[in-house]
Amino acid sequence: MKKNVLALSIATMIGGLGFAGAASAALAVNESGTGHILVVPYYTAQNGNSTVFHLTNTDLVNGKAVKVRFRGASNSDDVLDFQVFLSPGDVWTAAVSADANGLAQLVTGDNTCTVPAITPGTPVPFIKDRLSLASWTDTQKNAQTREGYIEILNMADIDGLKRYESSGKRKIDGAAYADGSSASALYTAIKHVSGKAPCTASVLAGLDDINPAQNAAVNAAGAQTYGLIAPTDGLAGSWYVINVPDSTTYSGSATAIKSDAVALNNLYSPQLAKPAVLPSADPLLLGKLIEAQHYDVPDLSTPLEGAVTVAGANAQAIALTSALARTTVSNQYVTDKTISATTDWVFSMPTRRYMVAANYAAPVGKPFGVALAAGGLAAAAAGPANFNTNVAETDKVYRVFNTDVKPAAGTEFLFTFSSALSTVNEAGQICATADGQTFYDREETSKKDGAVFSPGTTTKLAVCGEVSVVSFGGSSVLGAAVSQKNAVTPYTDGWGTVSFNKTVPVLGAAFQKGTNPSAKANMVGNYGVTWPHVYLK
């Protein structure tokens, strides 16, 4: 299924194994195809689970310079990002699990090149630098790394043509490039030879000299000089969540976002801690509450098409959110005790970060601020309508809004319609409370607002954080813990709907686990099922 939109959408799945300018035209959301961007709405390393993903370059001519970014479930915090350099026809695989201290870690046995270099078989620990909420202990920070979602972006193609000088770079002749007869040094470094890429360290280190501001220019510091050209289609991804002790597995495909535009932006940015050049709609970056670095971009808002400006990033964030905008989410649940059944519903909101984000430098609470496109925060009480009780002190504003990520007409986004429509829970997670929910059994009986969500006795679901899990049957199928609630429904098995009075950018699926009580000795009786959500605008 495809939707023509100006933007991004995401897969209908969970698990493990990342746009457009203001006048952009033709991005298509493809739920299981190839594209320029892939997004997995949920990964988990909780409760013995490992999340595995496979990233494939189906392009048999060009390589791909790919940004892989893991974001935490509470606030979409960057907890690990790096670059993968896929050769034509290449596949890169990796797994996320928890180490002995409960910190998420990534392990690969692959020989594909990465920056920084990842040694096959050597775990890479997730990074906690952005997990700076004052109340979190180190153990709690570790827990924050174990759930989230994954962004996968093709920053640039790696040119497969032989038109470079013997030095491995393009020759500049006046205002144009002159063709040579060799492959680029980068292509040679990432192209597999006898099953292994050379990953020439000096060549990969040389990419640090690229200035993203010159990516579209004929310039010695531009990405094109090094063999990085505008991105094309061809990325595909798949994932599975596996729990070996429990003998359960869930799997699926990543959703691809593909552009049909003639001219796309080269979005290569070095993997460096230096001030970012490419733009983002992220309110913490715009508000200067986090100093944007080269490695922070591209993100899902960085314009793949059109003007590479903050306005272009805001436009893409609007387009992506519009593509994901839902007022009703529906799925099935099974809690039949004869098969020990339990079900998880996963709600993932990967574009919420571009509308509102949590500022850990401030106390958890109600004060909020409004980020400005020009940088910094709006003056106190100077926000737009429905946001004019804002404050400007960076040590007070916990919620930071980007009110420019708001559609001009038609669809209304819950998070940027009014500051009053989102709240903050005791864990510091930003929440959207459902307008209502209805649950049905399998024989046409229904009850409106018929479930109780614990902890507590509330009958209105609050979807908190970037990724939230609702469990039916008393325990979480996926071992979710960062943002998880238990639902007690009036029926054993059936289906239900959750509705919001303004649209929210929700993705996800239901995950059901059961056990065959008739399984004989030495026979595995556990099984897992994944049901994609059904959405209504």
Side-chain angles (χ1 to χ4, degrees):
M1 181 180 76
K2 288 188 176 182
K3 275 186 196 173
N4 283 325
V5 291
L6 234 154
L8 160 83
S9 180
I10 297 172
T12 56
M13 86 281 335
I14 212 163
L17 300 154
F19 279 149
S24 174
L27 284 174
V29 177
N30 188 0
E31 291 188 359
S32 59
T34 63
H36 300 81
I37 299 170
L38 306 175
V39 184
V40 177
Y42 183 66
Y43 75 85
T44 177
Q46 299 277 30
N47 200 36
N49 287 308
S50 294
T51 301
V52 183
F53 66 96
H54 294 203
L55 178 59
T56 303
N57 179 15
T58 65
D59 187 337
L60 301 181
V61 176
N62 294 325
K64 309 289 183 189
V66 177
K67 167 70 79 171
V68 177
R69 180 179 290 112
F70 291 82
R71 290 191 180 269
S74 279
N75 190 39
S76 197
D77 300 303
D78 186 344
V79 289
L80 186 69
D81 74 72
F82 51 91
Q83 298 176 349
V84 178
F85 294 83
L86 296 166
S87 61
D90 193 10
V91 178
W92 185 78
T93 66
V96 178
S97 59
D99 69 13
N101 295 315
L103 178 67
Q105 61 182 5
L106 180 136
V107 178
T108 181
D110 208 288
N111 291 312
T112 295
C113 305
T114 62
V115 172
I118 299 176
T119 303
T122 301
V124 177
F126 277 39
I127 308 299
K128 297 180 285 186
D129 292 1
R130 297 271 172 94
L131 301 175
S132 56
L133 189 64
S135 62
W136 282 340
T137 65
D138 201 51
T139 297
Q140 289 172 318
K141 290 179 181 180
N142 289 350
Q144 291 291 325
T145 69
R146 297 198 296 269
E147 291 178 71
Y149 64 96
I150 311 168
E151 305 170 349
I152 304 168
L153 306 98
N154 184 17
M155 299 180 289
D157 274 18
I158 302 169
D159 192 0
L161 297 180
K162 292 185 176 181
R163 51 181 176 178
Y164 296 80
E165 297 297 298
S166 58
S167 65
K169 295 183 180 180
R170 292 295 302 269
K171 180 180 179 181
I172 297 175
D173 185 5
Y177 284 111
D179 284 346
S181 58
S182 300
S184 72
L186 179 59
Y187 184 86
T188 302
I190 62 95
K191 185 74 173 68
H192 283 63
V193 178
S194 300
K196 186 174 182 178
C199 300
T200 310
S202 60
V203 173
L204 295 175
L207 302 180
D208 291 350
D209 296 330
I210 290 175
N211 178 2
Q214 302 296 333
N215 281 354
V218 178
N219 187 286
Q224 295 178 83
T225 300
Y226 291 77
L228 291 161
I229 58 177
T232 62
D233 181 23
L235 286 182
S238 58
W239 56 267
Y240 60 91
V241 175
I242 184 169
N243 191 309
V244 174
D246 207 34
S247 300
T248 52
T249 305
Y250 306 90
S251 64
S253 298
T255 286
I257 295 85
K258 178 181 178 181
S259 174
D260 295 325
V262 175
L264 295 180
N265 297 320
N266 187 326
L267 298 179
Y268 185 79
S269 184
Q271 189 71 16
L272 292 175
K274 291 185 176 181
V277 173
L278 300 179
S280 169
D282 186 327
L284 297 186
L285 303 183
L286 289 176
K288 307 297 184 182
L289 298 162
I290 294 176
E291 292 296 329
Q293 304 297 310
H294 274 323
Y295 58 72
D296 285 315
V297 286
D299 61 17
L300 296 181
S301 70
T302 308
L304 181 59
E305 307 169 19
V308 186
T309 61
V310 171
N314 287 335
Q316 178 154 305
I318 292 169
L320 301 185
T321 303
S322 296
L324 303 176
R326 323 293 188 189
T327 56
T328 302
V329 181
S330 176
N331 217 314
Q332 300 181 63
Y333 62 89
V334 181
T335 63
D336 187 344
K337 293 186 182 302
T338 64
I339 57 170
S340 303
T342 52
T343 306
D344 276 354
W345 286 6
V346 173
F347 296 81
S348 181
M349 296 188 289
T351 65
R352 195 218 70 184
R353 174 75 178 216
Y354 306 107
M355 294 179 280
V356 59
N359 170 30
Y360 297 146
V364 173
K366 292 182 180 179
F368 68 88
V370 174
L372 298 172
L377 298 178
N386 298 333
F387 291 88
N388 55 11
T389 58
N390 63 298
V391 298
E393 294 93 339
T394 58
D395 60 344
K396 292 182 180 179
V397 295
Y398 188 76
R399 286 179 298 159
V400 183
F401 290 90
N402 181 355
T403 56
D404 289 329
V405 179
K406 186 175 183 179
T411 300
E412 295 175 335
F413 301 161
L414 181 148
F415 291 107
T416 51
F417 181 79
S418 171
S419 62
L421 294 183
S422 62
T423 58
V424 181
N425 65 12
E426 291 182 355
Q429 296 163 343
I430 298 169
C431 305
T433 300
D435 189 47
Q437 49 273 325
T438 303
F439 289 92
Y440 302 79
D441 68 6
R442 291 178 172 176
E443 307 298 337
E444 302 183 38
T445 306
S446 66
K447 186 174 182 180
K448 189 174 183 180
D449 297 337
V452 172
F453 299 95
S454 63
T457 58
T458 180
T459 57
K460 300 290 187 182
L461 174 64
V463 179
C464 298
E466 297 282 352
V467 181
S468 184
V469 177
V470 178
S471 302
F472 301 80
S475 62
S476 172
V477 171
L478 299 162
V482 173
S483 180
Q484 185 266 345
K485 291 180 174 67
N486 292 317
V488 180
T489 63
Y491 312 111
T492 301
D493 306 322
W495 64 285
T497 62
V498 177
S499 301
F500 299 87
N501 63 4
K502 305 293 181 187
T503 61
V504 290
V506 173
L507 299 164
F511 297 83
Q512 189 255 313
K513 176 188 172 184
T515 301
N516 180 1
S518 300
K520 298 178 181 179
N522 301 317
M523 178 184 293
V524 175
N526 294 340
Y527 65 91
V529 178
T530 306
W531 293 308
H533 285 327
V534 176
Y535 306 109
L536 298 176
K537 289 271 189 177

